[in-house]
Amino acid sequence: MTDAAPRLFFAVWPPVGTAAALADWAREARRECGGRATPRERIHLTLAFLGDADPEMARARGAAIRLPGLSLRIEQARYWAHNRIVWAGPLETPAGLQALARELGETRAFAAHVTLIRKARPPGTLPPPPALEWPVTQFTLVNSVLGPEGPDYEVLERYALE
Ligand code: 2AM
């Protein structure tokens, strides 16, 4: 636990095999762009970033969700210059994921992406990402706790989709 202000977010974590395939890809892609690859166990897709929100309000929001599970395809890998990340994700954000993000409190435009490398240089050509179909059956409320070795993720609650 920490006394620091909470940095809350809702996210989905991939099945372990999916995470391993994405982590392997990130290690390979790093040859193209340097930066820091996300360790396998920290790979996730953020649905809504709430920051310094009231944890009880966030828990209530998560518990109120009545939405079906869905399948998320990994179909492309891209570089974003504005925050220097390399990410993988679907060609288009699935409508169900969009709805979930909105109901969880994300107010900004939501583009489904999984950050795999931070502090990356602009790559030439990224290797094609593994074609994956990630079953999204639950989501989590997480607090990002700043530790001596960077942020640590503390899972506060898990919620099932229907
Ligand atoms: P990112 O992967 O695109 O960087 C935990 O920090 C998660 O919340 C990350 O997945 C990160 O998204 C997202 N996040 C962190 N700070 C954020 C901010 N200020 N606004 C939106 N999303 C943020």
Side-chain angles (χ1 to χ4, degrees), residues 20-69:
L22 291 171
D24 287 349
W25 180 87
R27 270 195 299 276
E28 191 188 327
R30 255 184 94 246
R31 291 192 209 133
E32 225 9 85
C33 58
R36 283 208 314 265
T38 309
R40 180 187 56 75
E41 65 281 3
R42 296 167 58 91
I43 290 175
H44 65 276
L45 180 143
T46 299
L47 293 165
F49 184 78
L50 307 181
D52 184 10
D54 172 14
E56 289 318 309
M57 188 208 70
R59 280 179 206 270
R61 222 173 230 186
I65 296 293
R66 298 284 178 274
L67 287 172

Side-chain angles (χ1 to χ4, degrees), residues 100-156:
L100 182 56
R102 197 168 318 109
E103 287 196 24
L104 288 172
E106 185 56 78
T107 52
R108 291 157 296 202
F110 174 69
H113 69 279
V114 182
T115 300
L116 294 175
I117 305 176
R118 294 185 192 278
K119 302 198 167 147
R121 294 186 304 270
T125 306
L126 288 168
L132 297 167
E133 190 129 352
W134 160 352
V136 177
T137 57
Q138 57 170 4
F139 61 97
T140 52
L141 174 62
V142 182
N143 188 18
S144 174
V145 183
L146 205 57
E149 279 152 41
D152 209 5
Y153 297 148
E154 177 189 21
V155 173
L156 300 183

